[in-house]
Amino acid sequence: MATEEELFASVDALLGEEPQLPPPAERARLREAAGVTQARLAVALKTSTQTVKNWENGRSEPREPRLSAYQRLLNGWAEKHPKPGTAPAAAAPQSPAVPQTFTGPAAPEAPAAVEAPSVQAVPEPERPAARPSSRRPAAKKAAKPAADPRFPHGPLAVLAGDGSAYGVDGIVLDCPARTVPELVEWTLRESGLGAPRLHKNGKDSDPLIVLTAAAAVKLGLPERLEGHEQRRSLRLPEDHPVVKQVAKAKWELTQRGFGPWARIYRKAQGNQRQCVQLAILSWDALDPRSWPGVAEMEPADVARVLGVYAQRVITPRGSTAVSGLELMTALRPPTRAVRDEETGNWVPGHNPGSLGKDPMDPAPPEATPEHPVVVHSGWTGGFLNEEAYQWVRPVDQLTDEECMLPYAVGLDLNTAFLAAAARLVVGLSEPDHFHAPAFNPKIPGSWLVDLSHIELDPRLPSPFTPTGERPTGPAWYQTHTVAYAQELGYNVQPIEAYLRRETGAYLDPWHDRLKNAYVDTLADLGVTKDLDDQQFLAAMERHKDVDPALAAVLAAIKATVKGGIGKLRERHQGKNYKDGDRWPALERPTWRPDIRAAVISKARVNMHRKLNNMAKMTGLFPLAVLSDCVVYPSPGPSPLDFLPYAASGKPQPGGFRLGPTPGLAKLEGVQEMLWAIDLMEKGYNPARHIKGGDAVLDEGE
């Protein structure tokens, strides 16, 4: 027989249980019946209006101390405002020290009295929002069918210190994890996070959990990573308790260890991947140059920014440069399933149009001086120097008329490297060596040819060198550079070449996805294709203020383009590196300096073609060029004061045109002409400083 002590202990346990709230739709009904707005309730409970909305549509549940206060309020409202057709429940005595469970109206006896589906009380339904770790099933609101039912809660979540995991579309999940291994298990088993593959032969995107500083500390991680090395190379030591926890739970870390971007995984079982990506905000996971202001945003806003990026580009896998490279592979997977003729089994086979799954050494002139191909072969034949423009016109070439113009106006080409990647044919196989080949502009490769005899207007940069100076003898060039010399009417006779027999437009799907992401995000910021040039300039002037979150997405998309192309020739990063040693990037099939050279060569040629056409149409010559930015002398402070237009008012084809799509131009900045001349006399490039920042292509982060 139970003792009095045991009975009291059992009763006390029941009294101490977490209060049980009515269904979300009933919460909303009670509040509306009491004539209280969501904003007023939020003030009373010292929370946000959005949080109250989440409580009433089932996206999240309150926790103490608000839980007991909310429960008390709902109990009071339930007594005053019972459902129509039901009798009020007997009032239970309230104790200020003990939370009470919801009594509510009496249960209906007939099906006709069953409560209406919660969808009727839920505004703007978008996706189901069950709380995976709740003690009881949360009411689900009606929603549009999920793109993939395996991932009902989107690709990622931002975890706050109180255990709230903020996802896309305003969803908030309750994460009970107290350690990193528990977080990984929750993410894979309960969260409903992830994203479907971008290509039928690819892999699903692993879920991403972004940790705020408070969440990191709660999980046993330091708030900041300290050290004297570059921030991107910092990581936890192997003897750190969290690293030991991960190993003890039989999870593994990738070679880059537990740093700002950590991948925690177990080997796949069949087709089931077991991998979670973590990003720690206070460890500078989101570089402010690529994600301006995002690290300082509230968790829900961070989730929104990263969610839009994940939807339009890819679930972030690291820096924007890393994500740009990963996007290439996701859209052109290296393998596909093929049937083995002997066994009849399905096995991985080469996916046509991809770079394959094995790394490929470049031709010696395409490599870097420290590359093993160069060091071990003793190569001394020179290298490709296909880089973006960094050119300033000599001051003594300026005419009096140009110097008297009042303004220097900078134009910037939208994602110039992305525009260059469109329909770009690159090599897919290993390079073959040829002596004295006939030049063919359709074959991608590297050509040793003498272009020093070509004479062009000295008021324009040479299209053959990044410095804009005229070549002095034979040099290695990518196909597009040599083809442009031929386009200008000059004879080219290659001395030597490294060419690839298998070719394809490898970057086309990458270009298409990023172009759509760029154009769609600009349109969301009010910069649409239907604007005339004056309206376009006005919209661009204010677009960053329309929505800072989407402006950050736009910056990340642009950084993804430049960083992804730069990563194709990522240099070694170890401080103890010795020339001739291999470095980790060389083990990637996407370490392809020849593809990077092709993109930059085409972008630089495109820039020169526009400069040349502008000179013919307007008689104007640039003051300076830096990558995708050009500065012109102008009679007025707007590009409209010097860009060429037909009598109909339409822009003249061939020159610079304003617009929101890749390859078209926007205003970069305006300064006085005397400012530009002063910089030029001091040896500085006004294109670099006309607005601020550095437009030189990064080779990887």
Side-chain angles (χ1 to χ4, degrees), residues 654-665:
F656 293 101
R657 297 175 55 191
L658 299 175
T661 56
L664 298 186

Side-chain angles (χ1 to χ4, degrees), residues 413-426 478 480 505 507-508 510-511 561 565 595-607 609-610 662-664:
L413 295 183
N414 301 321
T415 57
F417 297 114
L418 183 61
R423 298 179 297 280
L424 176 68
V425 177
V426 300
Q478 201 276 335
H480 282 87
L507 292 174
D508 261 9
W510 185 82
H511 162 271
V561 173
I565 296 299
I595 296 180
R596 175 185 179 274
V599 172
I600 299 176
S601 167
K602 185 178 174 184
R604 197 183 63 246
V605 163
N606 286 347
M607 173 67 82
R609 189 181 287 112
K610 286 180 169 60
L664 298 186

Side-chain angles (χ1 to χ4, degrees), residues 314-325:
I314 191 173
T315 304
R317 293 280 300 272
S319 67
T320 47
V322 169
S323 297
L325 203 65

Side-chain angles (χ1 to χ4, degrees), residues 28 44 53 58 86 105-106 147 178 242-243 288 300 339 354 488 519 542 548 608 610 684 696:
K53 290 179 180 178
T86 61
R178 294 296 183 268
V242 171
V243 177
R339 191 178 293 277
S354 76
L488 292 173
V519 172
R542 61 177 179 267
H608 190 276
K610 286 180 169 60
Y684 296 114
V696 177

